[in-house]
Amino acid sequence: QEKLAQEKAAAEKLAKEQEAAKKAEEVRLAAEKAAADKAAADKAAQDKAAAEKLAKEQEAAKKAEEARLAAEKAAADKAAADKAAQEKAAAEKLAKEQEAAKKAEVVLLAIGESAYQSGEGRSQTNIGFFGVQQQLLEAVYKVNKNVVIVLMNGRPMDISWAANHVPTILEC
């Protein structure tokens, strides 16, 4: 009987230890689940914060790009307005010069190059008149055929139109 009582006590002790181990395992698993849930929540919060930060950065980049494009457009608009104003001024000046040529008996037209346009290291891809000189020559010739060109040049120039139309060219 004593042996039976010892076996029963041992069995009860084993059952209690197994129950305690089971409860400890349940507690450990619950703690692991809580830790995993907290880690997942922390990760979700970090991901949300990162997504919000990225969205703010993208919005800032978008606004910066919009500002850059607006500045470029404003610069292009100003350049276009400046160019239009210059063209208008040039057209008005050309009209005045044409009117003066119309009234003149002889037009003495000094055109060609400045000293800085010819010489060593001054190669050019266009050997015609620089700027609006050809346009001026043709406009003056249109209203007064009695034109004398004083040609200033330090290199060969394409003066074919002038040579075919203007009766006198003095080369300096």
Side-chain angles (χ1 to χ4, degrees), residues 77-118:
D77 290 348
K78 183 180 181 326
D82 290 349
K83 183 178 179 184
Q86 288 173 349
E87 288 173 355
K88 181 180 178 187
E92 289 171 356
K93 185 176 180 182
L94 186 62
K96 286 179 185 176
E97 291 165 349
Q98 200 173 23
E99 188 61 34
K102 195 184 292 185
K103 295 176 184 175
E105 186 177 325
V106 175
V107 176
L108 188 61
L109 191 59
I111 57 176
E113 307 180 302
S114 72
Y116 297 109
Q117 289 178 284
S118 61

Side-chain angles (χ1 to χ4, degrees), residues 6 16 18 24 36 50 64 78-79 87 93 95 97 100 103 115-116 141 147 152 161 164:
Q6 285 177 348
K16 284 182 182 179
Q18 286 176 342
K78 183 180 181 326
E87 288 173 355
K93 185 176 180 182
E97 291 165 349
K103 295 176 184 175
Y116 297 109
Y141 183 79
V147 175
M152 296 172 284
W161 189 93
N164 290 327

